């Protein structure tokens, strides 16, 4: 690299008419170096006009008609008008000319400018779902995340679905892990919260809000940044916990998630301290003694051991329902659940075990019936031989003849009619 003094001298000599070789001998520099510095300082050449320049007016008019018109469609149209270059060249030059307008309504990520919205302590909790389509236990899982807007403290509950009852159950679990509720809840336009296509809260969810004594704030459509706190929490949970979580069941996942939130998530640094320090300023309101009594119903297939899996636990039913689909019915806040047969009859009632506890709830009556069914099905006989010859027996042959006679009709002897006529005379 040349010094500023050498660079000035090289350009001064070139202006006097010295050749590159003469300047190189005089300064002791390589000719390629001298030539490079003189070339960089030379006047820049005007770029060649774009091959799309003759079609600029047409393209601008087409984008005025439809800002989302596909590039392949435009290429076919300008090719019919005389454009003789390739599609790759067309796309490259189209980007250089920057003719396609940017549709503000379809911009992802919101507006180009943004700001941090200030929140008061205890003002709101933001809610959203994290969907896990692939899990180590082979079933999809749905994580309801609640984040305090002021401190950023978040808690999450793993559910088996996203129905209204799952939502209420998850919300109650998140609130009890947070230690209270804020004055308002902010959600997006969930089908379980608002009427489809509107921002009006459903009557069912309004009862939930009354039960916990909160207001409901619904985010505007297509504005996910309005609930950016919970969006950031979901991204953090996915990358920091879920990708490396050593779990193999829903119960293990919930236990490990609760541990991670306290040991890792709450210890993140923020201006003024950690998230746990800021969360102490939230002053959350108290919670009712029980969850909102929503009724949770899920369909389950009875296993060969007459057991029904639900929330990481197993519940017994009579052995006659093996391989049939039963309904598990649990009302939030109650200590028991019911199992309903396909005919709509209650066949079992058990104490509801904690989710993910891995408990087996089997009544003594069901255990006795299952044992009796197993022993009744037990036999010491050898299985039938698959290649044994067993033609139809006598009873089957007689029945076949009877059926054949019915199909062919009954034969009547005319001599019998003649005898009856003679007696009648």
């Amino acid at each position: 690299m040349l010094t500023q003094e050498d660079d000035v001298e090289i350009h001064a000599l070139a202006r006097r008419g010295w050749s590159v070789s003469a300047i190189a001998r005089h300064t002791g520099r390589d000719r390629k170096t001298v030539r490079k510095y003189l070339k960089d300082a030379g006047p820049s050449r005007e770029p060649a006009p774009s091959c799309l320049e003759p079609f600029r007016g047409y393209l601008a008019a087409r984008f005025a008609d439809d800002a989302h018109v596909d590039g392949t469609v435009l290429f076919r149209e300008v090719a019919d008008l005389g454009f003789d270059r390739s599609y790759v060249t067309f796309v490259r030059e189209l980007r250089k000319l920057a003719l396609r307008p940017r549709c503000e309504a379809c911009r992802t990520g919101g507006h180009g400018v943004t700001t941090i919205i200030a929140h008061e302590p205890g003002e709101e909790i933001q809610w959203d779902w994290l969907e896990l389509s692939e899990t180590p236990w082979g079933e999809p899982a749905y994580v309801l995340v609640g984040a305090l807007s002021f401190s950023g403290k978040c808690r999450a509950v793993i559910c088996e679905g996203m129905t209204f009852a799952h939502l209420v159950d998850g919300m109650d679990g998140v609130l009890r892990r947070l230690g209270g509720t804020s004055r308002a809840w902010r959600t997006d336009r969930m089908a379980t919260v608002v009427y489809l296509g509107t921002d009006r809260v459903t009557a069912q969810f309004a009862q939930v809000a009354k039960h916990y004594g909160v207001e409901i704030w619904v985010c505007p459509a297509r504005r996910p940044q309005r609930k950016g706190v919970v969006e950031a929490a979901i991204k953090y949970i996915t990358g920091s916990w879920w990708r490396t979580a050593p779990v193999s069941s829903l119960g293990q996942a919930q236990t490990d998630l609760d541990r991670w939130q306290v040991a890792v998530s709450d210890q993140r640094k923020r201006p003024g301290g950690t998230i746990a320090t800021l969360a102490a300023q939230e002053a959350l309101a108290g919670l009712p003694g029980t969850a909102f009594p929503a009724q949770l119903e899920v369909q389950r297939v009875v296993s060969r051991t007459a057991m029904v899996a639900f929330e990481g636990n197993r519940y017994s039913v009579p052995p006659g329902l093996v391989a049939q689909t039963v309904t598990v019915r649990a009302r939030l806040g109650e200590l028991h659940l019911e199992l309903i047969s396909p005919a709509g009859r209650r066949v079992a009632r058990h104490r509801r075990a904690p989710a993910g506890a891995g408990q087996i709830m089997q009544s003594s009556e069901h255990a006795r019936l299952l044992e009796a069914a197993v022993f009744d099905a037990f036999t010491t006989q050898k299985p039938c031989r698959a290649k044994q010859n067993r033609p139809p027996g006598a009873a089957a042959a007689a029945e076949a003849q009877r059926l054949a006679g019915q199909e062919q009709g009954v034969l009547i002897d005319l001599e019998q009619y003649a005898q009856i006529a003679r007696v009648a005379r």
Side-chain angles (χ1 to χ4, degrees):
M1 179 180 293
L2 300 181
T3 63
Q4 294 292 341
E5 292 78 4
D6 291 339
D7 189 17
V8 171
E9 183 181 9
I10 286 175
H11 284 81
L13 295 176
R15 187 176 293 272
R16 296 176 192 171
W18 287 37
S19 65
V20 172
S21 299
I23 296 175
R25 288 193 299 269
H26 176 76
T27 58
R29 304 291 182 179
D30 188 84
R31 286 178 297 177
K32 290 183 291 184
T33 302
V34 174
R35 188 178 294 107
K36 177 178 180 300
Y37 274 82
L38 292 175
K39 180 181 178 181
D40 292 344
S44 58
R45 188 176 60 180
E46 289 291 332
S50 172
C51 57
L52 280 180
E53 195 63 37
F55 307 94
R56 177 189 286 269
Y58 177 78
L59 294 173
R62 290 292 285 118
F63 284 130
D65 297 334
D66 181 10
H68 304 283
V69 60
D70 194 79
T72 57
V73 175
L74 288 177
F75 175 70
R76 290 197 303 268
E77 294 178 0
V78 296
D80 293 340
L81 296 176
F83 184 74
D84 58 353
R85 308 291 288 274
S86 68
Y87 175 72
V88 176
T89 302
F90 171 78
V91 173
R92 183 182 66 246
E93 296 300 320
L94 188 64
R95 289 173 179 170
K96 286 182 179 179
L97 294 178
L99 294 178
R100 185 188 293 273
R102 188 167 185 177
C103 181
E104 294 296 328
C106 298
R107 291 177 61 181
T108 58
H111 298 284
V113 295
T114 185
T115 184
I116 298 176
I117 302 175
H119 298 280
E120 296 295 328
E123 179 185 13
E124 71 172 24
I125 296 175
Q126 298 181 6
W127 302 94
D128 205 357
W129 286 102
L130 165 61
E131 300 183 33
L132 304 176
S133 57
E134 297 181 3
T135 61
W137 53 93
E139 296 291 337
Y142 307 90
V143 185
L144 181 66
V145 182
L148 293 167
S149 300
F150 172 73
S151 62
K153 180 179 179 180
C154 64
R155 290 294 183 266
V157 172
I158 306 177
C159 305
E160 295 181 340
M162 293 194 298
T163 64
F164 174 77
H166 285 113
L167 174 65
V168 176
D169 193 20
M171 283 182 164
D172 189 79
V174 169
L175 293 175
R176 300 193 185 279
R177 285 169 172 79
L178 289 173
T181 181
S182 61
R183 295 187 293 274
W185 295 349
R186 184 177 297 279
T187 72
D188 57 11
R189 301 158 77 89
M190 301 180 188
T192 49
V193 176
V194 300
Y195 291 107
L196 185 63
T198 70
D199 56 358
R200 295 175 50 243
V201 178
T202 63
Q204 195 176 24
F205 195 77
Q207 297 300 320
V208 178
K210 293 178 183 178
H211 182 77
Y212 291 96
V214 298
E215 299 179 44
I216 304 299
W217 296 344
V218 181
C219 291
R222 295 176 292 277
R223 288 297 181 269
Q225 64 271 31
R226 188 60 186 87
K227 53 182 179 63
V229 177
V230 70
E231 294 283 350
I234 288 176
K235 182 178 180 181
Y236 180 60
I237 289 173
T238 305
S240 180
W241 171 72
W242 175 245
R243 291 187 66 87
T244 58
V247 297
S248 58
S249 66
L250 186 147
Q252 288 183 359
Q254 186 64 67
T255 301
D256 192 68
L257 177 57
D258 292 337
R259 176 204 59 79
W260 174 85
Q261 288 172 335
V262 176
V264 179
S265 179
D266 288 356
Q267 306 309 316
R268 289 176 290 168
K269 301 294 184 180
R270 290 292 184 270
T274 63
I275 285 182
T277 304
L278 297 176
Q281 308 174 28
E282 293 280 3
L284 301 177
L287 299 173
T290 59
F292 179 80
Q295 184 166 282
L296 180 63
E297 291 188 358
V298 294
Q299 307 294 321
R300 291 290 186 271
V301 177
V302 181
S303 68
R304 296 179 59 186
T305 57
M307 289 288 179
V308 175
F310 177 66
E311 292 183 336
N313 304 291
R314 292 188 292 171
Y315 300 89
S316 66
V317 295
L321 294 173
V322 170
Q324 297 188 35
T325 300
V326 299
T327 301
V328 182
R329 182 179 296 167
R331 187 173 292 277
L332 304 184
E334 293 188 357
L335 300 178
H336 294 81
L337 56 79
E338 299 176 344
L339 294 107
I340 311 301
S341 70
R345 184 172 60 89
R346 190 181 78 178
V347 295
R349 185 173 185 267
H350 294 282
R351 178 180 61 84
R352 186 178 179 182
Q359 297 184 14
I360 298 177
M361 311 300 292
Q362 185 180 38
S363 67
S364 57
E365 178 66 16
H366 292 165
R368 185 186 63 79
L369 292 175
L370 181 62
E371 183 178 352
V374 172
F375 280 113
D376 290 344
F378 181 75
T379 180
T380 58
Q381 297 180 358
K382 294 182 179 179
C384 296
R385 298 172 61 183
K387 299 181 180 180
Q388 190 174 5
N389 178 253
R390 290 186 177 181
E399 184 66 19
Q401 291 179 0
R402 185 185 69 80
L403 295 174
Q406 291 179 354
E407 293 178 358
Q408 297 173 2
V410 179
L411 298 178
I412 300 177
D413 190 359
L414 296 180
E415 183 62 28
Q416 296 179 359
Y417 282 101
Q419 292 179 1
I420 293 174
R422 288 193 295 269
V423 172
R425 291 179 188 154

